[in-house]
Amino acid sequence: MRGNRTLTASATTRVARPADPLRPFHGVRVAIAPTSVRSLCHAYLPLLPEGAFFSHQTAAELLGVPLPADVTDGALHVSVSFPRTPPRGRGVIGHSLGVLSGESVDGLPVCSPELVWCQLSTVLGALDLVAAGDHLVGARSRDAQTDVGALSDAVDQCSGTKGARARAWALPRIRVGADSRPETLLRLLLEELGFCDLEVNSPVVVDSGRLTLHPDLSIRERRIAFEYEGDGHRERRQWGVDIRRHEHFEAEGWRIVRVTADDLFHNRDALVSRLARFVTNDACSARTSAIRVES
């Protein structure tokens, strides 16, 4: 293991309720019923085999990786080294893996971030695999848990296993700086449409040098900024901050393109039509394939 690590992001995804919540696993009784992945993992610790690690979706949630709702199955994923027999039981999915390593996260043995990313390639779509990688390599507001080089090494270790094509597609598209899964998905859509030279949360100095802003995505040469606005932007105080922020950009000659969750996940054709007028003829040489994005 690399040593103990405490993450600021908590794994609070609600878990499937067993018939008796105070006995979440056979032979385990707890005083307080587990209501999150983290608390469920702690409840399972007495049954965890020696040298085993929490893995796959469970490890991703413990590491704070954003996952689409359809892959969070409520079960605990636990991995052991091949050829050991993986654990079985109510609410547990066991795996026997040829490549296995990990570390301690909040007192829980968890597969390394690089291996977790490789494991996710078997359950995530290609776009969400990039978003998972973006999360792991960090941003201004989030410490990096790994880097592209380490991810590349893990991909080599897992060569020939399930998910290899998805990993090969996603790895070169991972970028440092994305604050959220939707920001990554928006970037990939823009690249698919032919937008080049996109910068991720890069600084833009405004107000005669007195203020530095960081648009979600930007093309500096063309002074276009793309801002993803989730539900938090509807809050009254944030709404006012956003208005002043956009005024600062516009005063410097920037054009702001605002994108909502409805645009990105539910009304994609209209968003594509709206973005089309900003596309230049110099389409990017490496374009993403059109893959449906799930909310």
Side-chain angles (χ1 to χ4, degrees):
M1 293 188 184
R2 298 179 184 179
N4 293 328
R5 181 147 60 103
T6 299
L7 299 181
T8 55
S10 61
T12 56
T13 299
R14 301 196 70 80
V15 299
R17 289 184 177 275
D20 183 350
L22 296 182
R23 291 184 172 87
F25 307 103
H26 180 72
V28 172
R29 181 178 176 83
V30 294
I32 300 175
T35 56
S36 69
V37 172
R38 189 178 302 278
S39 60
L40 193 65
C41 288
H42 278 287
Y44 185 74
L45 274 180
L47 303 180
L48 190 72
E50 174 110 17
F53 296 92
F54 293 109
S55 63
H56 295 78
Q57 292 99 306
T58 301
E61 293 187 67
L62 291 171
L63 294 171
V65 176
L67 299 176
D70 61 349
V71 302
T72 54
D73 51 22
L76 291 188
H77 290 260
V78 178
S79 290
V80 295
S81 294
F82 180 82
R84 292 178 61 191
T85 302
R88 294 283 187 261
R90 184 186 68 231
V92 177
I93 298 175
H95 307 266
S96 182
L97 305 178
V99 179
L100 190 64
S101 64
E103 56 192 59
S104 178
V105 175
D106 191 24
L108 297 168
V110 179
C111 280
S112 68
E114 303 82 26
L115 287 183
V116 172
W117 186 79
C118 290
Q119 293 160 3
L120 290 176
S121 67
T122 66
V123 295
L124 291 182
L127 301 181
D128 270 311
L129 190 59
V130 178
D134 279 4
H135 178 87
L136 291 172
V137 299
R140 284 190 309 121
S141 59
R142 185 180 66 254
D143 290 339
Q145 299 177 54
T146 187
D147 55 42
V148 174
L151 289 173
S152 180
D153 291 343
V155 167
D156 290 341
Q157 283 185 291
C158 297
S159 176
T161 62
K162 185 179 178 182
R165 286 185 62 186
R167 295 190 293 269
W169 186 92
L171 182 64
R173 291 170 171 82
I174 292 172
R175 300 274 295 277
V176 172
D179 284 328
S180 68
R181 170 180 177 253
E183 285 184 23
T184 295
L185 300 180
L186 176 57
R187 171 173 65 84
L188 294 173
L189 173 61
L190 293 171
E191 291 174 352
E192 178 184 342
L193 294 175
F195 288 90
C196 300
D197 303 320
L198 285 164
E199 298 181 21
V200 182
N201 275 295
S202 291
V204 175
V205 178
V206 298
D207 194 21
S208 301
R210 290 188 289 267
L211 181 64
T212 300
L213 301 176
H214 295 79
D216 296 339
L217 296 160
S218 60
I219 303 175
R220 189 173 300 272
E221 184 178 343
R222 299 179 60 195
R223 294 197 171 224
I224 300 176
F226 303 89
E227 298 271 63
Y228 176 78
E229 300 189 353
D231 289 342
H233 291 264
R234 299 179 184 179
E235 191 270 331
R236 178 174 297 190
R237 181 179 176 279
Q238 185 60 48
W239 184 265
V241 169
D242 289 342
I243 289 175
R244 291 188 292 275
R245 173 185 174 90
H246 295 159
E247 287 176 347
H248 282 303
F249 276 122
E250 290 165 357
E252 301 290 333
W254 283 73
R255 177 69 181 270
I256 306 298
V257 182
R258 303 167 75 179
V259 178
T260 67
D262 187 65
D263 293 327
L264 189 58
F265 295 110
H266 306 297
N267 202 10
R268 191 178 174 91
D269 290 343
L271 173 61
V272 169
S273 296
R274 183 155 61 94
L275 292 171
R277 65 178 179 269
F278 296 101
V279 181
T280 60
N281 292 327
D282 56 337
C284 297
S285 57
R287 296 165 63 87
T288 64
S289 58
I291 302 174
R292 186 166 177 260
V293 178
E294 299 291 344
S295 58

